[in-house]
Amino acid sequence: MAVSPTQATQSDVVDAIRRDILDGELVAGQRLVEAELSEWLGASRGAVRGALIDLTHEGLVERIANRGARVRVVSIEEAVEIIEVRAAVEALCAAKAAEKITDEEIAELRQLGEDMSAAVASGDVGTYSRLNTRLDERFIAISGQKVAAETIARLQGRSVRHQYRLAYRPGRSQISLPQHLAIIEALARRDPTAANRAVREHLASVLDAVREVASSRWEPSGGR
């Protein structure tokens, strides 16, 4: 988790803690002790305290009276709402991206698809998860929808991904890979309707998986 041998700034601390939460290194409900974070990150207690306040505003951290800070726990009810909003906004972005995508961007996304397929074939779930994130980032950027992108960024601060860690659920990548490839192919065909539908179908599957994880109380051995 360490940032650098020199003293980290508050911004450095925010970035490091955010990254560790979203990567699953810090899990939902885990206490965030200022003294420990200060030592690990090479930052002052003041920088750590300010960073935790910033991350509370982002929705990644929550402060409990008389108990300090912890990684925020997302309820199943909130998780469902987040995914439903994501489905609407990301589907819009996919449709817009299909109208604007260039030949170079199509080649880039198809390469991403090939890399995702290779990661699943080799059982490299961590790489597959990172490539999933990259695919989302790229088609959202290609869409040019700034307000939608800002909305999605705010939702990521309250993301269920770090808590439910779906990529590490046995068999999940085999289910989600064809869905991601369908999104890529719809974009490559420049078909807005198909791209919109592919994103909605994928996130409907994510919603089903979150409900299943919540009901089974399955706990992964690591990752997200």
Side-chain angles (χ1 to χ4, degrees), residues 119-120 122-130 166-169 173 224:
V120 171
S122 65
D124 188 347
V125 182
T127 295
Y128 178 64
S129 181
R130 288 189 292 274
L166 299 182
Y168 279 80
R169 187 164 174 80
S173 58
R224 59 191 172 105

Side-chain angles (χ1 to χ4, degrees), residues 28-128:
Q30 183 171 337
R31 289 189 64 212
L32 300 171
V33 181
E34 288 183 10
E36 294 177 356
L37 292 170
S38 177
E39 181 179 355
W40 290 340
L41 296 172
S44 69
R45 291 283 293 272
V48 170
R49 188 175 304 114
L52 293 176
I53 291 171
D54 289 346
L55 290 165
T56 299
H57 294 156
E58 287 187 23
L60 283 174
V61 169
E62 58 187 346
R63 304 187 73 85
I64 309 299
N66 303 317
R67 296 184 62 184
R70 69 175 185 177
V71 179
R72 187 168 178 270
V73 177
V74 180
S75 70
I76 182 62
E77 293 80 12
E78 184 178 354
V80 168
E81 290 185 19
I82 290 170
I83 295 168
E84 288 175 341
V85 174
R86 278 187 55 200
V89 180
E90 291 187 22
L92 168 66
C93 288
K96 294 295 185 180
E99 296 172 351
K100 299 179 179 181
I101 196 165
T102 65
D103 290 343
E104 292 78 11
E105 288 163 343
I106 288 171
E108 177 190 356
L109 294 189
R110 282 190 162 145
Q111 182 60 57
L112 266 177
E114 291 178 11
D115 293 343
M116 292 166 71
S117 298
V120 171
S122 65
D124 188 347
V125 182
T127 295
Y128 178 64

Side-chain angles (χ1 to χ4, degrees), residues 199-216:
V199 168
R200 288 182 180 275
E201 289 176 352
H202 168 59
L203 286 170
S205 174
V206 170
L207 183 54
D208 288 342
V210 165
R211 285 173 168 148
E212 183 180 353
V213 172
S215 64
S216 66

Side-chain angles (χ1 to χ4, degrees), residues 120-213:
V120 171
S122 65
D124 188 347
V125 182
T127 295
Y128 178 64
S129 181
R130 288 189 292 274
L131 292 169
N132 286 351
T133 300
R134 179 62 178 163
L135 173 60
D136 291 345
E137 291 171 346
R138 287 304 297 134
F139 79 70
I140 291 167
I142 292 167
S143 76
Q145 299 295 297
K146 293 182 179 180
V147 174
E150 291 170 0
T151 300
I152 293 166
R154 287 195 296 271
L155 287 175
Q156 287 173 342
R158 300 165 62 192
S159 176
V160 300
R161 183 185 228 175
H162 68 273
Q163 178 166 331
Y164 291 92
R165 303 183 210 170
L166 299 182
Y168 279 80
R169 187 164 174 80
R172 178 62 198 167
S173 58
Q174 287 78 11
I175 294 172
S176 66
L177 175 61
Q179 297 167 355
H180 286 110
L181 296 180
I183 294 170
I184 292 170
E185 285 309 306
L187 292 168
R189 296 196 310 271
R190 297 185 169 93
D191 185 335
T193 301
N196 183 298
R197 181 173 60 249
V199 168
R200 288 182 180 275
E201 289 176 352
H202 168 59
L203 286 170
S205 174
V206 170
L207 183 54
D208 288 342
V210 165
R211 285 173 168 148
E212 183 180 353
V213 172

